[in-house]
Amino acid sequence: MSISLHKDMFFKAQKPCLFALASLLALVAVFMASGVVSAADEWRIKVKGAVCVHEPVVQLGHIAHPVGDYDRDAWKRLASTRLWKASTRKGRPVVVPRAKLENILKYYLKEEAARCVLPLKMAIQTGGRVVAGQDLRNRVVEFLTIHSRGMGEDVEFKNFAMPDEFFLPNTYDKIELALSDEAMSPGTNRFVLRAKTPDGKITRTKTGSVFVSVWKTVPCASRPVNRNERLTSDKITFIKKNVAYMANVWDGEKGAWRVKRPVGTGQPFLMTNIEPMPMVTKGDVITLVYKNKRIQLTTKVEALGDGHLGQNITVRNLQSKRIIAATVVDNGVAKVR
């Protein structure tokens, strides 16, 4: 059994849908023409977080700028809106909380205040100039980059703690940066921002800090190394580590070294965990020398303790079992007077 649909019946069935679609398109066209739906209505007024003013009365155009496809005539009108009298204390920033700023804008801008995008606070200063946001951060990063040269190629700055803005009391002042310490080092570093006049006078100071990660390939334990074990090449491997989280990493310099505290696999060798290998170690059989103007005698003794050059240790005569005090004078050699 076959079923066929007559062409007139098909169009008759689709007619309500076509009518609804046409009605919807007509409605959208009406809204677009009336301005209810318009790309121009999507523009916003972004209020700055930090600003300097040079007029006796603060206007909207001094503290904000339009964002998006804005209506230029509307913005020209809004930008000239007078908000409040500028502070008479030139060169001194004043902080306006978001809630207070919002109330002021609602009062003067009425329904247009809904366009405003507000910061958490706004710092405003009469006179001078301000460096803020990414511009200020870029200056700090450039300064830190210069001072990190020599620390290696793999250096990272993170955990910045610094002002959101830096106000210069006068338009001709410059920003000067300096480290709190003489040189930069892995870990937390503190720096100072100063406002400096052309004649060298410091007019304002702010501080900040940054964590400097420095990645270096350092000697690490290839297997667990126990206390008093001598460091040999088979116990050492090289792994890239962030030395900002460790102090006094052994640089792998040549010499005889041993471990003072156990070091686990993959852990770096720190100077606090190793020490130079003593010339005499406990349990070694060493040579004991006795010498005066007439004779020199030597005998084999057992070292009862570790000793570096010039240190006093006790030894036991292997024959008489007598315990004697002696001074380390060379590798495996002690002298008694």
Side-chain angles (χ1 to χ4, degrees):
M1 179 179 177
S2 62
I3 299 175
S4 61
L5 185 64
H6 193 275
K7 184 168 67 173
D8 291 341
M9 294 176 63
F10 174 79
F11 284 110
K12 186 176 181 181
Q14 296 298 317
K15 189 174 181 180
C17 295
L18 294 172
F19 178 77
L21 179 60
S23 299
L24 180 60
L25 292 174
L27 185 60
V28 170
V30 170
F31 278 129
M32 289 292 289
S34 64
V36 175
V37 178
S38 171
D41 273 356
E42 297 302 317
W43 69 280
R44 294 289 180 262
I45 300 171
K46 187 173 182 180
V47 179
K48 303 173 186 177
V51 63
C52 287
V53 294
H54 302 275
E55 302 292 337
V57 177
V58 178
Q59 299 178 16
L60 181 63
H62 297 154
I63 67 168
H65 59 88
V67 177
D69 188 14
Y70 64 95
D71 184 325
R72 283 165 173 72
D73 291 335
W75 171 243
K76 185 177 180 181
R77 172 177 52 81
L78 290 170
S80 62
T81 303
R82 297 161 63 93
L83 301 176
W84 64 81
K85 289 184 178 180
S87 172
T88 56
R89 303 178 70 183
K90 293 186 177 181
R92 297 193 179 185
V94 177
V95 175
V96 183
R98 179 189 177 113
K100 184 175 181 179
L101 187 60
E102 186 175 19
N103 289 335
I104 293 172
L105 294 176
K106 283 182 178 178
Y107 180 81
Y108 287 104
L109 301 183
K110 309 303 180 186
E111 66 277 0
E112 295 289 357
R115 296 185 185 276
C116 295
V117 180
L118 306 180
L120 294 177
K121 61 179 177 61
M122 184 184 70
I124 183 169
Q125 175 180 278
T126 301
R129 62 189 181 93
V130 62
V131 180
Q134 194 59 46
D135 186 13
L136 181 61
R137 188 184 179 95
N138 289 343
R139 294 192 187 201
V140 172
V141 170
E142 182 182 1
F143 167 80
L144 295 173
T145 300
I146 293 172
H147 285 269
S148 67
R149 291 172 183 169
M151 298 179 71
E153 295 183 358
D154 202 346
V155 178
E156 178 189 6
F157 305 131
K158 62 180 184 178
N159 298 341
F160 279 89
M162 56 180 286
D164 295 326
E165 66 281 323
F166 189 71
F167 284 93
L168 300 163
N170 307 292
T171 55
Y172 48 78
D173 290 347
K174 293 183 178 180
I175 294 180
E176 179 184 81
L177 287 112
L179 292 172
S180 296
D181 297 323
E182 291 184 4
M184 187 179 291
S185 60
T188 301
N189 289 259
R190 290 174 173 78
F191 56 88
V192 181
L193 299 100
R194 303 187 184 106
K196 195 173 184 179
T197 61
D199 60 358
K201 182 180 179 182
I202 304 299
T203 56
R204 180 165 294 151
T205 300
K206 295 281 186 179
T207 59
S209 66
V210 62
F211 189 87
V212 181
S213 292
V214 181
W215 297 86
K216 290 185 176 181
T217 301
V218 297
C220 299
S222 60
R223 64 165 180 79
V225 184
N226 297 318
R227 182 175 177 269
N228 290 337
E229 274 195 70
R230 185 180 182 128
L231 278 180
T232 52
S233 59
D234 61 302
K235 299 168 188 172
I236 301 171
T237 186
F238 291 87
I239 303 175
K240 201 168 192 178
K241 298 279 187 179
N242 187 350
V243 297
Y245 293 104
M246 54 193 75
N248 299 319
V249 182
W250 179 45
D251 59 6
E253 64 182 20
K254 295 181 179 179
W257 299 87
R258 73 173 182 180
V259 173
K260 290 196 297 183
R261 300 180 184 86
V263 179
T265 302
Q267 292 183 347
F269 291 108
L270 307 179
M271 293 305 297
T272 52
N273 291 338
I274 65 174
E275 63 181 355
M277 195 73 186
M279 288 184 168
V280 173
T281 58
K282 183 179 180 180
D284 286 351
V285 175
I286 64 172
T287 299
L288 180 66
V289 178
Y290 172 78
K291 183 179 180 181
N292 62 20
K293 293 181 179 180
R294 297 181 180 180
I295 61 172
Q296 176 174 315
L297 302 174
T298 61
T299 186
K300 293 297 182 181
V301 295
E302 178 188 359
L304 301 181
D306 298 335
H308 294 276
L309 181 65
Q311 287 186 332
N312 294 326
I313 61 170
T314 55
V315 297
R316 181 188 289 118
N317 189 297
L318 295 179
Q319 295 179 350
S320 67
K321 306 302 180 185
R322 181 183 175 189
I323 296 177
I324 306 166
T327 302
V328 177
V329 293
D330 204 344
N331 286 315
V333 181
K335 184 178 180 181
V336 64
R337 295 181 181 181

